[in-house]
Amino acid sequence: MKKLALSSILVLALSISFISCRETAEKAKDAASQAEEAMEETGNDLKEAGEDAMDAAKEAGEDLKEAGEKAMDSAKEAGEDVMDKAKEIGEDVKDATQEAADKVSQ
């Protein structure tokens, strides 16, 4: 009788441990699957963030290029204005010199 009771308890204990191990294995698989999905989502998010950063850098570069071109145009116009004023002043000095020379010779 003792052997029968002990055998029954042993069989019951073994069956419970196998069922418990099976459930643990299934839970581990589920956890691994969820972790994999989370890693994929994180990878995709990082990829999108990188692409957004590249686009922003490209736009900033284009804006800087346009600003540089505008500055060059402004500097060119300013230089042309200075040259025009210098020519006007040169003409005025020439005219004043000629008038002074005419007055002296009279």
Side-chain angles (χ1 to χ4, degrees):
M1 183 81 152
K2 283 184 180 181
K3 289 183 182 181
L4 181 62
L6 288 175
S7 296
S8 298
I9 291 172
L10 182 62
V11 170
L12 180 64
L14 285 174
S15 65
I16 289 173
S17 68
F18 283 128
I19 291 172
S20 177
C21 289
R22 188 179 313 140
E23 288 175 357
T24 303
E26 288 176 5
K27 288 180 183 178
K29 285 180 185 179
D30 289 342
S33 177
Q34 290 174 354
E36 182 181 350
E37 289 174 9
M39 292 288 283
E40 286 179 14
E41 284 184 34
T42 302
N44 290 336
D45 291 345
L46 287 173
K47 182 179 177 182
E48 288 178 19
E51 290 172 354
D52 291 345
M54 289 295 292
D55 291 343
K58 188 175 182 179
E59 288 178 20
E62 290 172 359
D63 291 345
L64 286 173
K65 181 180 175 184
E66 288 177 16
E69 289 173 354
K70 287 179 182 178
M72 291 286 289
D73 291 343
S74 296
K76 184 178 177 181
E77 288 175 12
E80 290 172 354
D81 289 346
V82 168
M83 290 300 294
D84 291 343
K85 293 291 182 185
K87 285 180 184 178
E88 287 179 23
I89 291 171
E91 292 293 323
D92 291 345
V93 169
K94 182 180 171 184
D95 291 343
T97 305
Q98 186 64 36
E99 287 177 16
D102 289 342
K103 285 183 182 179
V104 170
S105 64
Q106 287 182 357

